[in-house]
Amino acid sequence: MSIIDLIKETTPKYETIIPSTGEKTFFRPFNVREQKNLLLAEQEEKESVILKALCEIVEKCVEDVETAETMSVSDLEYLFCKVRSKSVSETIHPTFTCPHTEEQVKIEVDLNQIEINEPENQNSVIEINESLSLIMRNPTVMDYIILGDETTTDQLAAFCIDKVKTADEVYEGSEISKQEKIEIIENLTAKAYNKIEKFVTNQPRVVANCKYRTSDGKIRDIRVSGFKDFFV
């Protein structure tokens, strides 16, 4: 057995779950080469580049994950946090501007305490009127990568149209062009659009509730969420 094979064979594995399915799986810490790729992605400061880097880490380090781009963002965030906790440290220290005092504050987040914030009363069937409904799907990581860093709610909503149901027929989203989907969104009433906006923006995300102290001595609360906050 070569030295490299020995290193790989003796790398520890840890158990976790894929949050959306509850399925158990195992993961390993990322190695130095993989960490360097993460740092390069962070330097570019582009969401799409960071998401691609997270996908690569999860695909390489988590068993049973072959195409992370098809996952929900919350699944990707959760699995990455688990991998990072065993690769670098179980805590991260993001910096943010306190909304009360406007001072820069560094907080500590325990990656073992993260959880998925599940939105309440989500309905994927958006009734436009008595004879027309849109059936939506949840956004995937690939949607955000394709749309890039200038993603708008309209574009994301159009991507997530899974079916269009009329009184007589059901049209598959794959049969409707991207431009037609955008036109559907743009021609909705404000009331119908608000329902769709709520659906695509109110998606599950990884969150952590933290406390911090400001210079005035007060203990304050903050909730960090999303891969930007955890990618440090």
Side-chain angles (χ1 to χ4, degrees), residues 89-106:
S89 171
E90 294 187 347
T91 59
I92 57 175
H93 300 87
T95 300
F96 72 102
T97 301
C98 175
H100 305 285
T101 65
E102 298 186 350
E103 63 187 283
Q104 289 291 301
V105 180
K106 180 178 284 189

Side-chain angles (χ1 to χ4, degrees), residues 35-45 49 53 231:
Q35 185 178 26
K36 286 180 179 179
N37 291 336
L38 276 177
L39 295 175
L40 289 174
E42 183 180 15
Q43 291 171 8
E44 291 203 32
E45 298 183 346
V49 173
F231 191 74

